[in-house]
Amino acid sequence: MRIVIKVGTSTLAHTTGKLNIRAFEELTKVIADLKNSGHEIILVSSGAIGMGTGKLGLSTRPKDTPTKQAAAAVGQCELMYMYDKYFGEYHHTVAQMLLTSDDFEDKEKYGNLSNTLARLLELQALPVINENDTVSTAELGIGDNDTLSALVAVGAKADLLVLLSDIDGLYTADPHKDKDAALIKRVEKTDESVFALGGESASDLGTGGMKTKLNAAKLVTDKGIDMIICNGTKPYLLYDIAEGRPVGTRFIGKKQ
Ligand code: GLU
């Protein structure tokens, strides 16, 4: 299977903005193992701004664009250094791709990015993708990595997109507020009734919330690709996913 896995800042970093070493170690180990078993993996990783915030010793995630972009420049470097180090232990080669919305809108750039991705997978490398936050801003750019990962899944003709989140999946109500909220295991059609369930919430260090995840679901399922939202604190769930067991919430791709 060709799987795009998106991991968010809240999974990779502590609230201090420093790397969550245990989470990082477990996640990279499972992904390395999935690659060893023959799956093609593309990782879309957030964490540049979050980790830059930690590395620069800033007390909170910056709000102004130049500081955000500076933090991203610092944090992206740290992020790739850590991925290289951890995946390197399992003899996997990482490849950084930093993309902007232009790369998906301009036909020629889109062709280039799809070709590069395909070639990297043929070469058994592990593409690690993020938005090029040093030049694009949330307002003008793609803005969040849920959307970016959906665009990547379509461009890479993936079989599946997995969004690793800080929540088990999509619920019938906000599980932080309503104890009767139940996990929805399968969404056959990502329509307005589904969007009505998603709030606007976002964590302190990341940017996404349920809304961007549902937008991502709409984007990929329209192209026939399934998407799963599951809990990023349990990376071994990726084994269950690869083996076809139900995990989190699965959004079913439209029959093409
Ligand atoms: N690209 C941003 C980063 O690496 C994160 C975007 C997101 O959290 O969705 O910090």
Side-chain angles (χ1 to χ4, degrees):
M1 261 209 293
R2 180 172 292 182
I3 313 173
V4 175
I5 299 172
K6 181 260 171 178
V7 57
T9 308
S10 58
T11 304
L12 295 176
H14 291 289
T15 45
T16 55
K18 301 257 195 240
L19 186 73
N20 182 334
I21 296 173
R22 182 168 54 181
F24 199 81
E25 204 164 31
E26 284 174 6
L27 177 71
T28 49
K29 189 171 166 178
V30 174
I31 291 177
D33 203 19
L34 287 176
K35 269 182 69 62
N36 284 352
S37 69
H39 295 292
E40 290 179 328
I41 310 284
I42 297 169
L43 188 59
V44 174
S45 177
S46 307
I49 299 175
M51 284 178 70
T53 303
K55 199 151 190 208
L56 288 168
L58 308 173
S59 53
T60 52
R61 184 182 167 98
K63 304 241 176 329
D64 66 293
T65 301
T67 318
K68 261 195 227 170
Q69 293 182 318
V74 171
Q76 182 64 30
C77 218
E78 173 77 355
L79 198 58
M80 287 315 292
Y81 166 71
M82 295 309 285
Y83 277 127
D84 196 30
K85 181 171 147 150
Y86 278 75
F87 282 120
E89 271 188 36
Y90 303 107
H91 310 288
H92 287 292
T93 301
V94 294
Q96 172 181 262
M97 286 177 77
L98 295 179
L99 304 174
T100 59
S101 52
D102 276 358
D103 300 322
F104 293 92
E105 282 153 18
D106 180 297
K107 217 169 151 214
E108 195 183 328
K109 289 184 179 177
Y110 190 59
N112 288 337
L113 98 82
S114 309
N115 291 342
T116 306
L117 258 180
R119 190 76 186 113
L120 282 169
L121 293 175
E122 273 169 23
L123 293 165
Q124 322 261 312
L126 172 59
V128 180
I129 301 179
N130 197 356
E131 184 159 7
N132 192 353
D133 295 316
T134 57
V135 293
S136 57
T137 58
E139 298 71 35
L140 300 173
I142 299 164
D144 71 87
N145 278 5
D146 295 327
T147 309
L148 174 63
S149 64
L151 294 170
V152 167
V154 172
K157 299 190 172 58
D159 300 301
L160 180 67
L161 168 63
V162 179
L163 302 185
L164 296 177
S165 177
D166 50 7
I167 191 165
D168 288 338
L170 178 67
Y171 282 81
T172 50
D174 184 345
H176 303 296
K177 294 183 192 144
D178 184 343
K179 64 175 177 28
D180 295 326
L183 181 71
I184 300 169
K185 298 211 164 126
R186 235 176 124 85
V187 175
E188 297 294 339
K189 209 164 154 235
T190 309
D191 57 15
E192 268 155 40
S193 66
V194 176
F195 276 90
L197 299 170
E200 301 272 349
S201 65
S203 67
D204 283 347
L205 288 165
T207 52
M210 197 44 83
K211 198 169 166 215
T212 54
K213 290 179 178 46
L214 296 178
N215 284 337
K218 175 99 184 85
L219 230 148
V220 295
T221 54
D222 275 351
K223 300 282 179 199
I225 301 170
D226 281 15
M227 186 186 103
I228 291 174
I229 301 176
C230 70
N231 200 318
T233 60
K234 303 170 190 161
Y236 54 85
L237 289 177
L238 290 169
Y239 286 123
D240 291 333
I241 290 173
E243 284 157 22
R245 283 189 283 277
V247 167
T249 303
R250 186 172 193 118
F251 299 80
I252 308 301
K254 269 190 197 161
K255 297 271 167 300
Q256 298 293 294

